[in-house]
Amino acid sequence: MDGREFRSPSRAAAAAVSTGTFDGWHAWALSDGQTLDQLRQRFLDAAAEGSAQEPQDDGVTTTVRTRHQRLKNAREQAEAGNPESLTVSDLLGWWGVQRRGSSITQQIRAELDNHSLLTSPAFDKVPIDATVHLVVPPSNDVPTIDESDAAASVVDTAGSEDERPEVGLPVGSLHSALAGVDSLPPSATFEQAITLMAINDYSQIPILEGPRKLRGAVTWKSIAKTRHVSPDAKLPDAVVDAPVVSYSLDLIDILPLLEESEFVLVKDETNKIAGIVTASDVAGAYGSMATPFFLVGELDQRLRQVIADSFEVEQVIEWCDADNSRGITCFDDLSFGDYLWVLRNPKAWELLCWPLDRKIFTDRLDEIREIRNDLMHFNPDPLPDDAVQKIRYAINLVRECADSAR
């Protein structure tokens, strides 16, 4: 070779022959004939064997060894043409968690990659109750974990530089996106379209010749316009273009299409038309986040005001940024984590004179900080049922304590 370095053996294999796509884990071999994949599995087996149990916050305890064996079994099933199927929720349970945050999502991706597995559809692009299949990548989509990470990522799965956390809310996170879609063939009649739309309160119907062959869609507007121009028109005359997007696309990226067409059709991982998303679906998705989002914003402002009213900014800077590494110069520079840092300081808490237990109160604020992080990162999973109530109670308590201190 010419001395170039590659982040994956597959890329190196493709560069070596200058054409095509290869699974480098099986293409490259050591002098003894052992493939890189076999070497990687040896490292993974050794790391799993020596791993201690991982305690989880929710009381569930799972072992790296057990998960490693499950992934090995899943790979065997996938290679045999019988991929394991499970819900996203069940998959998360293998890692002892209940919701998808950016860190756990990166870890799951890395460990799946290490076992030459991926989920179909992508587990982080669909609702938590959706079913996914553990499959081996097709030949043109090989995993990209670097060989140097083969053993280490079982313990430290920060992911490669190519795998940065995604912060958008994907189209597939909406239930309607992959829930199936009623459609009609081009040979259908106006009466069929009108009846199907009216009986289901649809505003449009896709016209398909097959699950992947879209001809467009008919809408109430296109039907009315076509029949007005020509009473003898046929249904194909009313077909208009229908926008199609991938289920993995960010919702924010389809807003211009929704503004123009009021709906988009959604392709799954096999390019099948698998669902439909309307403007009301997206409004509902963002609307469900609005209440906790605004409540967290109110709590943020109240905590900042309490700190600003109770302490000098120089004191707060000393507590939160003593080495000036963050450049805090005023109260507006403080983060939610800074509020916690101040309130956990015994001296600061004593100066507040609040009739509350410091640990219990700040522990609750720490829970709300996690909720806030989920909201800021557009975690597709619904918040716990009591999350909004926790924020409301905290706001009321902060307000009451602040008022009594005046």
Side-chain angles (χ1 to χ4, degrees), residues 14-49:
V17 297
S18 302
T19 184
T21 304
F22 298 90
D23 182 352
W25 292 102
H26 292 88
W28 296 104
L30 305 181
S31 58
D32 61 0
Q34 183 179 209
T35 66
L36 288 185
D37 181 67
Q38 292 171 326
L39 181 62
R40 175 174 61 172
Q41 287 306 312
R42 280 179 50 201
F43 286 144
L44 290 169
D45 289 342
E49 188 65 28

PDB file of all heavy atoms in Angstrom, residues 14-49:
ATOM      1  N   ALA A  14     -11.297  -1.774   0.006  1.00  0.00           N
ATOM      2  CA  ALA A  14     -11.793  -1.150  -1.219  1.00  0.00           C
ATOM      3  C   ALA A  14     -10.691  -0.345  -1.901  1.00  0.00           C
ATOM      4  O   ALA A  14     -10.556  -0.354  -3.129  1.00  0.00           O
ATOM      5  CB  ALA A  14     -12.984  -0.256  -0.896  1.00  0.00           C
ATOM      6  N   ALA A  15      -9.870   0.347  -1.101  1.00  0.00           N
ATOM      7  CA  ALA A  15      -8.781   1.142  -1.662  1.00  0.00           C
ATOM      8  C   ALA A  15      -7.704   0.245  -2.263  1.00  0.00           C
ATOM      9  O   ALA A  15      -7.073   0.603  -3.268  1.00  0.00           O
ATOM     10  CB  ALA A  15      -8.176   2.037  -0.590  1.00  0.00           C
ATOM     11  N   ALA A  16      -7.519  -0.934  -1.686  1.00  0.00           N
ATOM     12  CA  ALA A  16      -6.460  -1.833  -2.149  1.00  0.00           C
ATOM     13  C   ALA A  16      -6.720  -2.335  -3.563  1.00  0.00           C
ATOM     14  O   ALA A  16      -5.785  -2.532  -4.348  1.00  0.00           O
ATOM     15  CB  ALA A  16      -6.312  -3.008  -1.194  1.00  0.00           C
ATOM     16  N   VAL A  17      -7.989  -2.541  -3.891  1.00  0.00           N
ATOM     17  CA  VAL A  17      -8.313  -3.057  -5.227  1.00  0.00           C
ATOM     18  C   VAL A  17      -8.878  -1.984  -6.149  1.00  0.00           C
ATOM     19  O   VAL A  17      -9.145  -2.246  -7.319  1.00  0.00           O
ATOM     20  CB  VAL A  17      -9.317  -4.226  -5.130  1.00  0.00           C
ATOM     21  CG1 VAL A  17      -8.703  -5.391  -4.374  1.00  0.00           C
ATOM     22  CG2 VAL A  17     -10.603  -3.775  -4.461  1.00  0.00           C
ATOM     23  N   SER A  18      -9.075  -0.770  -5.585  1.00  0.00           N
ATOM     24  CA  SER A  18      -9.479   0.407  -6.366  1.00  0.00           C
ATOM     25  C   SER A  18     -10.882   0.319  -6.949  1.00  0.00           C
ATOM     26  O   SER A  18     -11.267   1.154  -7.769  1.00  0.00           O
ATOM     27  CB  SER A  18      -8.487   0.669  -7.521  1.00  0.00           C
ATOM     28  OG  SER A  18      -7.194   0.854  -6.996  1.00  0.00           O
ATOM     29  N   THR A  19     -11.657  -0.666  -6.572  1.00  0.00           N
ATOM     30  CA  THR A  19     -13.018  -0.774  -7.089  1.00  0.00           C
ATOM     31  C   THR A  19     -13.837  -1.668  -6.185  1.00  0.00           C
ATOM     32  O   THR A  19     -13.295  -2.510  -5.467  1.00  0.00           O
ATOM     33  CB  THR A  19     -13.019  -1.354  -8.519  1.00  0.00           C
ATOM     34  OG1 THR A  19     -14.378  -1.354  -9.019  1.00  0.00           O
ATOM     35  CG2 THR A  19     -12.496  -2.783  -8.536  1.00  0.00           C
ATOM     36  N   GLY A  20     -15.131  -1.471  -6.225  1.00  0.00           N
ATOM     37  CA  GLY A  20     -16.023  -2.359  -5.476  1.00  0.00           C
ATOM     38  C   GLY A  20     -16.068  -2.040  -3.988  1.00  0.00           C
ATOM     39  O   GLY A  20     -15.404  -1.135  -3.489  1.00  0.00           O
ATOM     40  N   THR A  21     -16.886  -2.798  -3.278  1.00  0.00           N
ATOM     41  CA  THR A  21     -17.048  -2.671  -1.842  1.00  0.00           C
ATOM     42  C   THR A  21     -16.815  -4.022  -1.200  1.00  0.00           C
ATOM     43  O   THR A  21     -17.299  -5.035  -1.688  1.00  0.00           O
ATOM     44  CB  THR A  21     -18.467  -2.179  -1.496  1.00  0.00           C
ATOM     45  OG1 THR A  21     -18.707  -0.951  -2.184  1.00  0.00           O
ATOM     46  CG2 THR A  21     -18.613  -1.958  -0.009  1.00  0.00           C
ATOM     47  N   PHE A  22     -16.048  -4.036  -0.109  1.00  0.00           N
ATOM     48  CA  PHE A  22     -15.678  -5.301   0.517  1.00  0.00           C
ATOM     49  C   PHE A  22     -15.909  -5.237   2.019  1.00  0.00           C
ATOM     50  O   PHE A  22     -15.815  -4.168   2.634  1.00  0.00           O
ATOM     51  CB  PHE A  22     -14.198  -5.621   0.255  1.00  0.00           C
ATOM     52  CG  PHE A  22     -13.863  -5.795  -1.196  1.00  0.00           C
ATOM     53  CD1 PHE A  22     -13.466  -4.707  -1.961  1.00  0.00           C
ATOM     54  CD2 PHE A  22     -13.952  -7.038  -1.795  1.00  0.00           C
ATOM     55  CE1 PHE A  22     -13.161  -4.860  -3.291  1.00  0.00           C
ATOM     56  CE2 PHE A  22     -13.645  -7.193  -3.135  1.00  0.00           C
ATOM     57  CZ  PHE A  22     -13.244  -6.107  -3.893  1.00  0.00           C
ATOM     58  N   ASP A  23     -16.210  -6.385   2.592  1.00  0.00           N
ATOM     59  CA  ASP A  23     -16.229  -6.515   4.040  1.00  0.00           C
ATOM     60  C   ASP A  23     -14.789  -6.803   4.464  1.00  0.00           C
ATOM     61  O   ASP A  23     -14.315  -7.931   4.395  1.00  0.00           O
ATOM     62  CB  ASP A  23     -17.160  -7.652   4.460  1.00  0.00           C
ATOM     63  CG  ASP A  23     -17.242  -7.799   5.980  1.00  0.00           C
ATOM     64  OD1 ASP A  23     -16.462  -7.131   6.678  1.00  0.00           O
ATOM     65  OD2 ASP A  23     -18.072  -8.583   6.457  1.00  0.00           O
ATOM     66  N   GLY A  24     -14.098  -5.751   4.878  1.00  0.00           N
ATOM     67  CA  GLY A  24     -12.681  -5.892   5.204  1.00  0.00           C
ATOM     68  C   GLY A  24     -12.399  -6.801   6.369  1.00  0.00           C
ATOM     69  O   GLY A  24     -11.286  -7.342   6.483  1.00  0.00           O
ATOM     70  N   TRP A  25     -13.376  -6.990   7.251  1.00  0.00           N
ATOM     71  CA  TRP A  25     -13.167  -7.878   8.400  1.00  0.00           C
ATOM     72  C   TRP A  25     -12.935  -9.315   7.948  1.00  0.00           C
ATOM     73  O   TRP A  25     -12.255 -10.091   8.630  1.00  0.00           O
ATOM     74  CB  TRP A  25     -14.349  -7.806   9.346  1.00  0.00           C
ATOM     75  CG  TRP A  25     -14.463  -6.480  10.040  1.00  0.00           C
ATOM     76  CD1 TRP A  25     -15.322  -5.464   9.734  1.00  0.00           C
ATOM     77  CD2 TRP A  25     -13.658  -6.028  11.121  1.00  0.00           C
ATOM     78  NE1 TRP A  25     -15.103  -4.396  10.567  1.00  0.00           N
ATOM     79  CE2 TRP A  25     -14.090  -4.710  11.433  1.00  0.00           C
ATOM     80  CE3 TRP A  25     -12.617  -6.589  11.859  1.00  0.00           C
ATOM     81  CZ2 TRP A  25     -13.519  -3.963  12.462  1.00  0.00           C
ATOM     82  CZ3 TRP A  25     -12.043  -5.835  12.882  1.00  0.00           C
ATOM     83  CH2 TRP A  25     -12.498  -4.549  13.170  1.00  0.00           C
ATOM     84  N   HIS A  26     -13.502  -9.675   6.794  1.00  0.00           N
ATOM     85  CA  HIS A  26     -13.283 -11.019   6.264  1.00  0.00           C
ATOM     86  C   HIS A  26     -12.263 -11.021   5.127  1.00  0.00           C
ATOM     87  O   HIS A  26     -11.688 -12.068   4.809  1.00  0.00           O
ATOM     88  CB  HIS A  26     -14.604 -11.619   5.763  1.00  0.00           C
ATOM     89  CG  HIS A  26     -15.583 -11.921   6.857  1.00  0.00           C
ATOM     90  ND1 HIS A  26     -16.484 -10.997   7.331  1.00  0.00           N
ATOM     91  CD2 HIS A  26     -15.772 -13.050   7.600  1.00  0.00           C
ATOM     92  CE1 HIS A  26     -17.202 -11.539   8.306  1.00  0.00           C
ATOM     93  NE2 HIS A  26     -16.800 -12.786   8.488  1.00  0.00           N
ATOM     94  N   ALA A  27     -12.038  -9.860   4.513  1.00  0.00           N
ATOM     95  CA  ALA A  27     -11.096  -9.799   3.387  1.00  0.00           C
ATOM     96  C   ALA A  27      -9.648  -9.848   3.844  1.00  0.00           C
ATOM     97  O   ALA A  27      -8.801 -10.458   3.188  1.00  0.00           O
ATOM     98  CB  ALA A  27     -11.348  -8.522   2.572  1.00  0.00           C
ATOM     99  N   TRP A  28      -9.354  -9.197   4.993  1.00  0.00           N
ATOM    100  CA  TRP A  28      -7.987  -9.164   5.491  1.00  0.00           C
ATOM    101  C   TRP A  28      -7.740 -10.328   6.441  1.00  0.00           C
ATOM    102  O   TRP A  28      -8.602 -10.701   7.235  1.00  0.00           O
ATOM    103  CB  TRP A  28      -7.714  -7.864   6.241  1.00  0.00           C
ATOM    104  CG  TRP A  28      -7.784  -6.624   5.395  1.00  0.00           C
ATOM    105  CD1 TRP A  28      -8.789  -5.712   5.354  1.00  0.00           C
ATOM    106  CD2 TRP A  28      -6.805  -6.174   4.459  1.00  0.00           C
ATOM    107  NE1 TRP A  28      -8.511  -4.712   4.470  1.00  0.00           N
ATOM    108  CE2 TRP A  28      -7.297  -4.967   3.904  1.00  0.00           C
ATOM    109  CE3 TRP A  28      -5.576  -6.667   4.034  1.00  0.00           C
ATOM    110  CZ2 TRP A  28      -6.592  -4.247   2.945  1.00  0.00           C
ATOM    111  CZ3 TRP A  28      -4.869  -5.944   3.079  1.00  0.00           C
ATOM    112  CH2 TRP A  28      -5.370  -4.756   2.541  1.00  0.00           C
ATOM    113  N   ALA A  29      -6.569 -10.908   6.343  1.00  0.00           N
ATOM    114  CA  ALA A  29      -6.215 -12.038   7.204  1.00  0.00           C
ATOM    115  C   ALA A  29      -4.779 -11.902   7.695  1.00  0.00           C
ATOM    116  O   ALA A  29      -3.934 -11.253   7.055  1.00  0.00           O
ATOM    117  CB  ALA A  29      -6.378 -13.362   6.452  1.00  0.00           C
ATOM    118  N   LEU A  30      -4.505 -12.516   8.836  1.00  0.00           N
ATOM    119  CA  LEU A  30      -3.155 -12.538   9.385  1.00  0.00           C
ATOM    120  C   LEU A  30      -2.338 -13.609   8.668  1.00  0.00           C
ATOM    121  O   LEU A  30      -2.859 -14.383   7.857  1.00  0.00           O
ATOM    122  CB  LEU A  30      -3.206 -12.809  10.884  1.00  0.00           C
ATOM    123  CG  LEU A  30      -4.073 -11.853  11.725  1.00  0.00           C
ATOM    124  CD1 LEU A  30      -4.005 -12.239  13.191  1.00  0.00           C
ATOM    125  CD2 LEU A  30      -3.626 -10.409  11.521  1.00  0.00           C
ATOM    126  N   SER A  31      -1.070 -13.653   8.995  1.00  0.00           N
ATOM    127  CA  SER A  31      -0.194 -14.619   8.325  1.00  0.00           C
ATOM    128  C   SER A  31      -0.604 -16.056   8.608  1.00  0.00           C
ATOM    129  O   SER A  31      -0.306 -16.958   7.814  1.00  0.00           O
ATOM    130  CB  SER A  31       1.259 -14.397   8.770  1.00  0.00           C
ATOM    131  OG  SER A  31       1.375 -14.521  10.186  1.00  0.00           O
ATOM    132  N   ASP A  32      -1.291 -16.301   9.733  1.00  0.00           N
ATOM    133  CA  ASP A  32      -1.718 -17.653  10.053  1.00  0.00           C
ATOM    134  C   ASP A  32      -3.074 -18.001   9.446  1.00  0.00           C
ATOM    135  O   ASP A  32      -3.639 -19.058   9.727  1.00  0.00           O
ATOM    136  CB  ASP A  32      -1.770 -17.854  11.573  1.00  0.00           C
ATOM    137  CG  ASP A  32      -2.750 -16.916  12.258  1.00  0.00           C
ATOM    138  OD1 ASP A  32      -3.403 -16.103  11.554  1.00  0.00           O
ATOM    139  OD2 ASP A  32      -2.870 -16.986  13.504  1.00  0.00           O
ATOM    140  N   GLY A  33      -3.609 -17.094   8.618  1.00  0.00           N
ATOM    141  CA  GLY A  33      -4.890 -17.356   7.967  1.00  0.00           C
ATOM    142  C   GLY A  33      -6.092 -16.871   8.749  1.00  0.00           C
ATOM    143  O   GLY A  33      -7.230 -16.904   8.252  1.00  0.00           O
ATOM    144  N   GLN A  34      -5.871 -16.397   9.947  1.00  0.00           N
ATOM    145  CA  GLN A  34      -6.977 -15.907  10.777  1.00  0.00           C
ATOM    146  C   GLN A  34      -7.460 -14.547  10.249  1.00  0.00           C
ATOM    147  O   GLN A  34      -6.658 -13.648  10.036  1.00  0.00           O
ATOM    148  CB  GLN A  34      -6.505 -15.770  12.230  1.00  0.00           C
ATOM    149  CG  GLN A  34      -7.589 -15.349  13.180  1.00  0.00           C
ATOM    150  CD  GLN A  34      -7.075 -15.257  14.604  1.00  0.00           C
ATOM    151  OE1 GLN A  34      -7.813 -15.452  15.553  1.00  0.00           O
ATOM    152  NE2 GLN A  34      -5.803 -14.960  14.771  1.00  0.00           N
ATOM    153  N   THR A  35      -8.765 -14.438  10.012  1.00  0.00           N
ATOM    154  CA  THR A  35      -9.307 -13.177   9.513  1.00  0.00           C
ATOM    155  C   THR A  35      -9.402 -12.149  10.636  1.00  0.00           C
ATOM    156  O   THR A  35      -9.390 -12.505  11.817  1.00  0.00           O
ATOM    157  CB  THR A  35     -10.702 -13.364   8.908  1.00  0.00           C
ATOM    158  OG1 THR A  35     -11.618 -13.733   9.943  1.00  0.00           O
ATOM    159  CG2 THR A  35     -10.695 -14.431   7.826  1.00  0.00           C
ATOM    160  N   LEU A  36      -9.494 -10.884  10.241  1.00  0.00           N
ATOM    161  CA  LEU A  36      -9.654  -9.832  11.240  1.00  0.00           C
ATOM    162  C   LEU A  36     -10.948 -10.013  12.024  1.00  0.00           C
ATOM    163  O   LEU A  36     -11.014  -9.690  13.216  1.00  0.00           O
ATOM    164  CB  LEU A  36      -9.655  -8.460  10.569  1.00  0.00           C
ATOM    165  CG  LEU A  36      -8.323  -7.948  10.027  1.00  0.00           C
ATOM    166  CD1 LEU A  36      -8.491  -6.530   9.503  1.00  0.00           C
ATOM    167  CD2 LEU A  36      -7.248  -7.980  11.107  1.00  0.00           C
ATOM    168  N   ASP A  37     -11.970 -10.553  11.378  1.00  0.00           N
ATOM    169  CA  ASP A  37     -13.216 -10.789  12.095  1.00  0.00           C
ATOM    170  C   ASP A  37     -13.024 -11.833  13.193  1.00  0.00           C
ATOM    171  O   ASP A  37     -13.537 -11.681  14.306  1.00  0.00           O
ATOM    172  CB  ASP A  37     -14.313 -11.249  11.123  1.00  0.00           C
ATOM    173  CG  ASP A  37     -15.636 -11.485  11.823  1.00  0.00           C
ATOM    174  OD1 ASP A  37     -16.231 -10.496  12.308  1.00  0.00           O
ATOM    175  OD2 ASP A  37     -16.064 -12.650  11.917  1.00  0.00           O
ATOM    176  N   GLN A  38     -12.290 -12.881  12.882  1.00  0.00           N
ATOM    177  CA  GLN A  38     -12.017 -13.903  13.898  1.00  0.00           C
ATOM    178  C   GLN A  38     -11.190 -13.330  15.041  1.00  0.00           C
ATOM    179  O   GLN A  38     -11.433 -13.641  16.213  1.00  0.00           O
ATOM    180  CB  GLN A  38     -11.302 -15.092  13.256  1.00  0.00           C
ATOM    181  CG  GLN A  38     -12.171 -15.879  12.290  1.00  0.00           C
ATOM    182  CD  GLN A  38     -11.374 -16.908  11.501  1.00  0.00           C
ATOM    183  OE1 GLN A  38     -10.199 -16.685  11.172  1.00  0.00           O
ATOM    184  NE2 GLN A  38     -11.992 -18.044  11.205  1.00  0.00           N
ATOM    185  N   LEU A  39     -10.215 -12.482  14.695  1.00  0.00           N
ATOM    186  CA  LEU A  39      -9.402 -11.847  15.727  1.00  0.00           C
ATOM    187  C   LEU A  39     -10.265 -10.926  16.596  1.00  0.00           C
ATOM    188  O   LEU A  39     -10.149 -10.915  17.828  1.00  0.00           O
ATOM    189  CB  LEU A  39      -8.279 -11.052  15.072  1.00  0.00           C
ATOM    190  CG  LEU A  39      -7.317 -10.329  16.024  1.00  0.00           C
ATOM    191  CD1 LEU A  39      -6.577 -11.330  16.912  1.00  0.00           C
ATOM    192  CD2 LEU A  39      -6.334  -9.464  15.237  1.00  0.00           C
ATOM    193  N   ARG A  40     -11.139 -10.172  15.947  1.00  0.00           N
ATOM    194  CA  ARG A  40     -12.023  -9.278  16.689  1.00  0.00           C
ATOM    195  C   ARG A  40     -12.911 -10.069  17.647  1.00  0.00           C
ATOM    196  O   ARG A  40     -13.097  -9.674  18.798  1.00  0.00           O
ATOM    197  CB  ARG A  40     -12.887  -8.474  15.702  1.00  0.00           C
ATOM    198  CG  ARG A  40     -13.928  -7.598  16.384  1.00  0.00           C
ATOM    199  CD  ARG A  40     -14.673  -6.719  15.406  1.00  0.00           C
ATOM    200  NE  ARG A  40     -15.402  -7.468  14.403  1.00  0.00           N
ATOM    201  CZ  ARG A  40     -16.250  -6.916  13.543  1.00  0.00           C
ATOM    202  NH1 ARG A  40     -16.453  -5.606  13.567  1.00  0.00           N
ATOM    203  NH2 ARG A  40     -16.877  -7.647  12.646  1.00  0.00           N
ATOM    204  N   GLN A  41     -13.438 -11.189  17.194  1.00  0.00           N
ATOM    205  CA  GLN A  41     -14.297 -11.986  18.062  1.00  0.00           C
ATOM    206  C   GLN A  41     -13.529 -12.547  19.254  1.00  0.00           C
ATOM    207  O   GLN A  41     -14.067 -12.668  20.351  1.00  0.00           O
ATOM    208  CB  GLN A  41     -14.939 -13.132  17.266  1.00  0.00           C
ATOM    209  CG  GLN A  41     -16.033 -12.672  16.300  1.00  0.00           C
ATOM    210  CD  GLN A  41     -17.110 -11.850  16.989  1.00  0.00           C
ATOM    211  OE1 GLN A  41     -17.621 -12.243  18.035  1.00  0.00           O
ATOM    212  NE2 GLN A  41     -17.443 -10.697  16.419  1.00  0.00           N
ATOM    213  N   ARG A  42     -12.265 -12.855  19.030  1.00  0.00           N
ATOM    214  CA  ARG A  42     -11.441 -13.316  20.159  1.00  0.00           C
ATOM    215  C   ARG A  42     -11.305 -12.219  21.203  1.00  0.00           C
ATOM    216  O   ARG A  42     -11.423 -12.463  22.406  1.00  0.00           O
ATOM    217  CB  ARG A  42     -10.055 -13.739  19.652  1.00  0.00           C
ATOM    218  CG  ARG A  42      -9.997 -15.134  19.029  1.00  0.00           C
ATOM    219  CD  ARG A  42      -8.594 -15.442  18.538  1.00  0.00           C
ATOM    220  NE  ARG A  42      -7.576 -15.164  19.563  1.00  0.00           N
ATOM    221  CZ  ARG A  42      -6.289 -14.956  19.296  1.00  0.00           C
ATOM    222  NH1 ARG A  42      -5.871 -14.973  18.040  1.00  0.00           N
ATOM    223  NH2 ARG A  42      -5.431 -14.744  20.275  1.00  0.00           N
ATOM    224  N   PHE A  43     -11.049 -11.001  20.734  1.00  0.00           N
ATOM    225  CA  PHE A  43     -10.938  -9.868  21.660  1.00  0.00           C
ATOM    226  C   PHE A  43     -12.256  -9.636  22.399  1.00  0.00           C
ATOM    227  O   PHE A  43     -12.282  -9.391  23.610  1.00  0.00           O
ATOM    228  CB  PHE A  43     -10.533  -8.593  20.910  1.00  0.00           C
ATOM    229  CG  PHE A  43      -9.095  -8.567  20.483  1.00  0.00           C
ATOM    230  CD1 PHE A  43      -8.727  -7.983  19.283  1.00  0.00           C
ATOM    231  CD2 PHE A  43      -8.097  -9.103  21.289  1.00  0.00           C
ATOM    232  CE1 PHE A  43      -7.403  -7.940  18.879  1.00  0.00           C
ATOM    233  CE2 PHE A  43      -6.767  -9.070  20.896  1.00  0.00           C
ATOM    234  CZ  PHE A  43      -6.419  -8.491  19.690  1.00  0.00           C
ATOM    235  N   LEU A  44     -13.351  -9.694  21.656  1.00  0.00           N
ATOM    236  CA  LEU A  44     -14.656  -9.458  22.272  1.00  0.00           C
ATOM    237  C   LEU A  44     -14.987 -10.534  23.294  1.00  0.00           C
ATOM    238  O   LEU A  44     -15.523 -10.253  24.373  1.00  0.00           O
ATOM    239  CB  LEU A  44     -15.741  -9.407  21.186  1.00  0.00           C
ATOM    240  CG  LEU A  44     -15.705  -8.187  20.258  1.00  0.00           C
ATOM    241  CD1 LEU A  44     -16.643  -8.389  19.080  1.00  0.00           C
ATOM    242  CD2 LEU A  44     -16.068  -6.925  21.012  1.00  0.00           C
ATOM    243  N   ASP A  45     -14.683 -11.787  22.948  1.00  0.00           N
ATOM    244  CA  ASP A  45     -14.927 -12.891  23.890  1.00  0.00           C
ATOM    245  C   ASP A  45     -14.124 -12.700  25.172  1.00  0.00           C
ATOM    246  O   ASP A  45     -14.638 -12.879  26.281  1.00  0.00           O
ATOM    247  CB  ASP A  45     -14.561 -14.232  23.246  1.00  0.00           C
ATOM    248  CG  ASP A  45     -15.527 -14.649  22.151  1.00  0.00           C
ATOM    249  OD1 ASP A  45     -16.642 -14.107  22.108  1.00  0.00           O
ATOM    250  OD2 ASP A  45     -15.158 -15.505  21.323  1.00  0.00           O
ATOM    251  N   ALA A  46     -12.850 -12.308  25.007  1.00  0.00           N
ATOM    252  CA  ALA A  46     -11.993 -12.126  26.174  1.00  0.00           C
ATOM    253  C   ALA A  46     -12.468 -10.961  27.030  1.00  0.00           C
ATOM    254  O   ALA A  46     -12.494 -11.036  28.264  1.00  0.00           O
ATOM    255  CB  ALA A  46     -10.546 -11.898  25.727  1.00  0.00           C
ATOM    256  N   ALA A  47     -12.869  -9.867  26.375  1.00  0.00           N
ATOM    257  CA  ALA A  47     -13.341  -8.702  27.125  1.00  0.00           C
ATOM    258  C   ALA A  47     -14.624  -9.010  27.861  1.00  0.00           C
ATOM    259  O   ALA A  47     -14.807  -8.618  29.019  1.00  0.00           O
ATOM    260  CB  ALA A  47     -13.541  -7.522  26.182  1.00  0.00           C
ATOM    261  N   ALA A  48     -15.537  -9.737  27.209  1.00  0.00           N
ATOM    262  CA  ALA A  48     -16.803 -10.081  27.853  1.00  0.00           C
ATOM    263  C   ALA A  48     -16.585 -11.035  29.017  1.00  0.00           C
ATOM    264  O   ALA A  48     -17.235 -10.927  30.061  1.00  0.00           O
ATOM    265  CB  ALA A  48     -17.755 -10.701  26.830  1.00  0.00           C
ATOM    266  N   GLU A  49     -15.681 -11.951  28.854  1.00  0.00           N
ATOM    267  CA  GLU A  49     -15.413 -12.936  29.907  1.00  0.00           C
ATOM    268  C   GLU A  49     -14.877 -12.265  31.162  1.00  0.00           C
ATOM    269  O   GLU A  49     -15.174 -12.675  32.290  1.00  0.00           O
ATOM    270  CB  GLU A  49     -14.413 -13.978  29.400  1.00  0.00           C
ATOM    271  CG  GLU A  49     -14.204 -15.152  30.335  1.00  0.00           C
ATOM    272  CD  GLU A  49     -15.454 -15.994  30.500  1.00  0.00           C
ATOM    273  OE1 GLU A  49     -16.280 -16.034  29.556  1.00  0.00           O
ATOM    274  OE2 GLU A  49     -15.626 -16.605  31.580  1.00  0.00           O
TER     275      GLU A  49
END
